[in-house]
Structures are given as C-alpha cells and as structure tokens.
Amino acid sequence: MTTHTAAQAPAIEVTDLRKSFEDNHVLQGIELTVPAGTVYALLGPNGAGKTTAVRILTTLISGDAGTATVLGHDVSTEPDAIRLRIGVTGQFSAIDELLTGRENLQLMADLNHLPRRQGRARAQELLERFDLVDAADRGAATYSGGMKRRLDLAMTLVSSPRLIFLDEPSTGLDPRSRRELWQIIRELINEGVTIFLTTQYLEEADELAHKVGVLDRGTLVAEGTPAELKRRVPGGRVDVTYVDPVALSTAAGAIAGATADLESLTLSVPHDGTLGALQELVGRLDSEAVASLEVHTPDLDDVFLALTGHRPQPAEERPENTTEAPMTEEVAR
C-alpha cells in the first residue's frame, strides 16, 4: 500500500457528529479522521448509522451537531465545493439501463461540464480501464452484475475525484467480480485517491482498509488497523501437531495453558498474535517431535461479534425496515 506523509491534510475530519430522526438517535457523537490516500472502512450492523454518516459527509443531509470537513471544506457551509471534488457510488446503481455503457459515461461527462471532445476521450479511457470496450455500445440492461458495478464506478470517476465514497460496493456481486472490484480500488489508492468504504463484507475491509471503524447504535465503539482490532479479541491460538502421543503429553505438561487432543495429536496453545510470543513458543518446541504448526488468529468477523454482540448480516438478507434514511444519488457524482 502507498506510504503517506504526515504533511498531507486529512481527507475527512469528523468531530462529535450527531444526527437524530425524531426520537431515533442515529449518530451519537462520532469522531474520526481519514488520512488522504488511504482506505477507511466503516463497519456496523444494519441501522448502526453508516449510511447516515455517508449522507452527511456527501452533503445530502445535515447533521444536528458537531463538525465535519471533507477535503478541507465544511459540509455545512461549503457543500458545493465538496460536491465538485468527490465521487459517490451508492448501494444501488445509478446506471440508466436504457442507455449504452458509453452513453452513460458521456452523460456523466456532460453533467460534469466537460467539453464534448474531452468527455468522449474520458469515456473511452474509462471503458478501457474497466474492461468494458467490447460491451461499450450495448444496452446497459444486458450487462452482468459485475459489469454494471464496474460501469457504476467508472461513472463516478469521470470527474477524476480525489475522494470516493463507496457505500456497500460489493453487494450482490459474485466472488470473482468482488475481487475484480477490489483490484480497481487498490489501483485508485496507488494513484493517491482516498476511499471511504462502508461494507458488511468483513473480508473486504480486511483486504482493503488501512483503518477500520466499528459503528454500533450510532457510536464508534472501536477503531484501528485490521491487525490492531484483531489483537483486541481473545481466541488466538497456535496448533502444534506432534509425531506421537508421548511427545504430545510431555509438551502439554511443560507449556502453561496448553490443551492436548490425543486423537489428533494436537496441542493448542493460547496466542496473542504478536511475533514475540510466537518466537518464544517456537523456541520451546522440540523440532524432531513436531510434525506441523499452524497459527490461528481472530478475524474481523470475531471482532464484529465481540464488539456488537452479533455477526454481520449480508446486505441482500437485511430486512427492509431500517432506522436509517436510504442513500440516494442526489449528490453530483
């Protein structure tokens, strides 16, 4: 991933941001900072406030209290400046399926006031980048789910934004299309673009994010790199498989906290995920008696469960009734 200097101003700064809908307190004083050129992933169960936070940061709605700046501009007093500099890809596609892929891109170029020749060149450039040239002049209604998502993101990039909000970008995609999207996001990061990502796919956050925030009931309950969050959750272990039961029994009596399974000849040793602890354990093992060693660490799914009390619900399985107002495409892409 790209290295970023401390001299760069943050792409997003949020302080004590609050928002309520009648008696429902959706955001209760969240604070976060997103360095330029990084991926920030906001995780949370359905109704946690993720989409509301994105709608405030993209100037679709106003917060009730607190402050938020995006690319150095205040969301309350400088919404137009923000809209000119950001891109938004919401949960639901903004593609006009009556148009071709090329026509969708050229329409976005017109909406962004690009000169006609420049707009056509930009559309062709993005069709090539997103591997849509062969389908460029076909109706978008004939595109697969992965192709539509690539076109949707390409439309967001027409204006070359330096900050992109991706709200549940992988919803409904098959594993191959999801990984193709991840590669595109990595390329954007290498070009210095900042990504603010909301997702229910914890593997997605683990793969892409420099920092992860976990939002629950309108409060940011944890924040850190994926590795830092995993270290907060107990359950890591090292499984050492021995060549015979005698060696296993000897090791079990010598290593505090270890649990032996005579059937599989495996010794499970609690592990906090640090390199020092692993080195200390390996130094105590008899290499001739050990057949194999495997390190197990908590994943973001374990973190999510520990912090929110339940596992994430895939977007396509969520109930329609939600405490948040839905994301719309009212903002200039």
Side-chain angles (χ1 to χ4, degrees), residues 119-141:
R120 288 177 176 175
R122 182 63 172 157
Q124 181 62 30
E125 175 190 341
L126 290 167
L127 289 167
E128 293 172 0
R129 176 172 187 173
F130 286 81
D131 194 24
L132 292 170
V133 173
D134 291 343
D137 298 309
R138 278 174 31 204

Side-chain angles (χ1 to χ4, degrees), residues 194-231:
T194 305
I195 305 289
F196 190 94
L197 169 72
T198 71
T199 182
Q200 288 282 344
Y201 293 106
L202 302 187
E203 182 187 5
E204 185 163 77
D206 210 355
E207 286 279 338
L208 298 174
H210 296 83
K211 182 176 283 189
V212 174
V214 181
L215 194 64
D216 190 32
R217 297 181 179 88
T219 301
L220 201 64
V221 296
E223 189 181 49
T225 66
E228 288 169 346
L229 292 181
K230 291 174 193 177
R231 286 198 293 269

